[in-house]
Amino acid sequence: MAFFQRIFFLSTLLFHLFTISSSIGINYGTLGNNLPPPAQVANFIKTKTIFDSVKLFDTNPEVLRAFANTGIFVTVTVGNGDIPALADLNNARQWVANNIVPFYPQTRFLYIAVGNEIFNTGDNNLIFKLVPAMRSIHKALLLARIYNIKVTSPHSVAILGKSEPPSQGRFRPGYDRIVFGPMLKFLRQTKSPFMVNPYPYFTYTPNMASYALFKRNAGIRDRYTGLRYTNMFDAMMDAMHSAMKASGYGDVNIVVGETGWPTSCDGYVACSLKHAALFNGHLVRHVNSRRGTPLMPNRRFETYLFGMFNENLKPGPNAERNWGIFQPDFTPIYDAGLLRRQSGGRRGRRGGGSTRPRPRSAAWCVPKAGVSNAALQANIDYVCSQGVDCRPIQAGGACFQPNDVRSHASYAMNAFFKAKGQHSYNCDFSHSGVLVSHNPSYGTCRFA
């Protein structure tokens, strides 16, 4: 019987791996006092979004029960402070018995993430106990006859001592041999991925905005390979891959544990709804295109966006509380193409059957009075990057004249509003849009 059990689990594992290789997942944090119950969250993710996997930052029993029998793949996280104790096999076995066994296999665990960016803590006790803890948890799973959960650990790009150009990416001196060599060896042996958290947001500068946000730009050439990079995400991924290859483990798979963009912060120019929508929308299309990166072509990386909701109880700067993609009522804070579409091309109902009411049919979206040209130009750039037809406001188009930013923004904002289903939140544009009841069409320029 044990033989057939092992065969079953191995075949299940292969199914998981082939399925997950094309997934877009979401990080689901719960540090908020206004968030919906986990059961509602699980149902929303399953029925209304494109996400087929979720990453949690703990092992909350209520959340794990909520995802039981949903088919959603679940990653749980071991707290940083628990790492030293879990280097002992007996403690690891108890952790698995408490946090995995009661929910398995109804909850479809995929990864156990041991710690979260522990190199950022600077605590060498945690750092040097990380790989032993990973080994102990893996062995504890096997002893519990659980063969299809992988053990990994997420890391920020700060683990790199060198990241530019991408082909010269290297781990921090010393740690490459003492920590990352043994860790990557363990990941190779267990066929587990190396989990990384590349955030172009944290290296954003206004002069590099297009490069960070996947917008059209001339790119940056790696002088050692001759390869050209047109977005920062690819450069970060290839720098990590180069570091792994230099350590002898370029064959280990990479999973993106976190990436995203905040919508609000303490006056920092990078934060906005437009930037968040641009980054996440372009990222999802880029990952799903299977283009891969210059050094890893034709790859579709399993990627977890950050995050599900704004978390109003998180400590730190304002930006820490504003990474969410959805409101607590499940309406999108911005549109990044993450909701499923039902027949007819309309987005499905959200949040247990409720929908936001549509405005009356005779409504058009135009800029508010007093909005700056810079903000309006940003609206135009955003709309035209979302697949909306902007040819009418290009030279020779029916709405090109008058050739001014406000006139062009009026057409673009309304076209976006109409194309996205005429929901009021699709005329927000960071509070620069307003719905009006009069048709702004003129001459040969017809507003939908």
Side-chain angles (χ1 to χ4, degrees):
M1 188 65 179
F3 171 77
F4 289 105
Q5 267 190 327
R6 188 178 292 267
I7 292 297
F8 169 77
F9 282 123
L10 288 174
S11 62
T12 303
L13 172 60
L14 289 174
F15 172 77
H16 284 197
L17 293 177
F18 281 115
T19 303
I20 277 294
S21 66
S22 62
S23 76
I24 296 292
I26 187 72
N27 283 274
Y28 170 25
T30 56
L31 293 178
N33 59 13
N34 60 347
L35 301 182
Q40 291 183 18
V41 177
N43 182 64
F44 172 72
I45 290 174
K46 176 184 177 180
T47 62
K48 306 301 182 186
T49 76
I50 68 170
F51 306 129
D52 59 5
S53 48
V54 64
K55 180 167 163 282
L56 311 174
F57 292 93
D58 52 26
T59 55
N60 185 314
E62 183 184 5
V63 178
L64 295 180
R65 282 191 291 268
F67 282 96
N69 303 309
T70 61
I72 301 295
F73 293 98
V74 176
T75 293
V76 294
T77 301
V78 173
N80 286 357
D82 294 332
I83 289 172
L86 292 177
D88 179 87
L89 179 58
N90 289 330
N91 292 333
R93 294 188 72 178
Q94 190 62 52
W95 188 93
V96 168
N98 292 341
N99 296 290
I100 302 297
V101 171
F103 311 99
Y104 177 87
Q106 289 77 16
T107 299
R108 204 175 186 184
F109 294 100
L110 183 66
Y111 303 127
I112 295 173
V114 182
N116 186 47
E117 299 187 348
I118 68 160
F119 279 80
N120 292 357
T121 70
D123 187 332
N124 280 335
N125 185 43
L126 297 181
I127 293 170
F128 295 132
K129 290 292 180 66
L130 176 58
V131 176
M134 294 169 70
R135 291 192 185 113
S136 291
I137 292 172
H138 172 70
K139 188 169 184 180
L141 289 169
L142 298 182
L143 290 171
R145 298 182 179 275
I146 297 174
Y147 307 108
N148 58 345
I149 302 176
K150 298 299 186 182
V151 178
T152 185
S153 182
H155 304 285
S156 75
V157 294
I159 62 176
L160 298 179
K162 185 176 183 181
S163 60
E164 295 180 357
S167 64
Q168 302 303 300
R170 299 293 184 271
F171 292 122
R172 292 186 196 177
Y175 291 118
D176 55 348
R177 180 176 52 83
I178 299 172
V179 179
F180 289 107
M183 181 186 299
L184 289 165
K185 182 179 180 180
F186 165 81
L187 296 175
R188 175 190 279 168
Q189 290 171 339
T190 59
K191 295 180 171 56
S192 303
F194 190 55
M195 187 172 282
V196 301
N197 298 341
Y199 276 101
Y201 163 75
F202 288 114
T203 54
Y204 174 94
T205 58
N207 65 320
M208 297 289 281
S210 294
Y211 187 61
L213 294 167
F214 291 93
K215 295 171 70 175
R216 191 171 298 175
N217 64 92
I220 298 175
R221 182 177 177 273
D222 185 325
R223 65 183 182 274
Y224 293 96
T225 62
L227 297 172
R228 186 167 295 276
Y229 289 81
T230 57
N231 67 81
M232 194 179 296
F233 176 83
D234 280 357
M236 288 179 166
M237 292 292 284
D238 275 358
M240 195 69 69
H241 171 71
S242 295
M244 296 165 65
K245 188 175 181 180
S247 295
Y249 296 94
D251 59 313
V252 174
N253 191 31
I254 299 177
V255 164
V256 178
E258 292 179 30
T259 191
W261 206 280
T263 55
S264 178
C265 53
D266 298 307
Y268 183 34
V269 67
C271 302
S272 71
L273 288 172
K274 295 184 190 68
H275 284 176
L278 277 170
F279 179 80
N280 281 331
H282 282 304
L283 174 74
V284 170
R285 288 192 292 275
H286 180 65
V287 168
N288 282 338
S289 72
R290 289 194 184 275
R291 287 197 300 266
T293 69
L295 290 179
M296 295 180 286
N298 305 317
R299 293 272 297 274
R300 184 188 284 180
F301 299 101
E302 181 187 347
T303 299
Y304 292 80
L305 300 180
F306 190 87
M308 187 71 192
F309 303 110
N310 289 335
E311 298 176 75
N312 63 5
L313 298 182
K314 288 186 75 172
N318 186 43
E320 287 297 307
R321 293 177 287 281
N322 288 282
W323 289 84
I325 298 172
F326 297 100
Q327 302 281 9
D329 67 355
F330 301 110
T331 54
I333 295 174
Y334 54 85
D335 183 5
L338 302 173
L339 292 173
R340 294 184 184 181
R341 292 187 181 274
Q342 294 180 337
S343 59
R346 292 180 181 176
R347 293 203 181 278
R349 296 193 301 168
R350 305 175 182 90
S354 65
T355 60
R356 276 201 175 189
R358 292 172 180 262
R360 65 183 184 272
S361 58
W364 290 265
C365 178
V366 297
K368 288 181 179 178
V371 177
S372 69
N373 282 349
L376 295 178
Q377 184 60 55
N379 290 349
I380 295 170
D381 293 342
Y382 168 66
V383 167
C384 296
S385 73
Q386 296 296 301
V388 175
D389 185 6
C390 289
R391 287 175 295 181
I393 58 175
Q394 295 172 358
C399 301
F400 180 69
Q401 297 293 344
N403 183 16
D404 63 72
V405 173
R406 187 173 186 85
S407 177
H408 290 179
S410 295
Y411 179 86
M413 291 164 66
N414 184 70
F416 180 87
F417 167 68
K418 297 291 186 180
K420 298 301 181 181
Q422 302 187 62
H423 298 287
S424 58
Y425 55 80
N426 283 325
C427 186
D428 183 75
F429 290 98
S430 296
H431 310 302
S432 66
V434 63
L435 290 174
V436 297
S437 58
H438 62 275
N439 189 338
S441 300
Y442 58 92
T444 60
C445 177
R446 312 309 299 170
F447 282 57

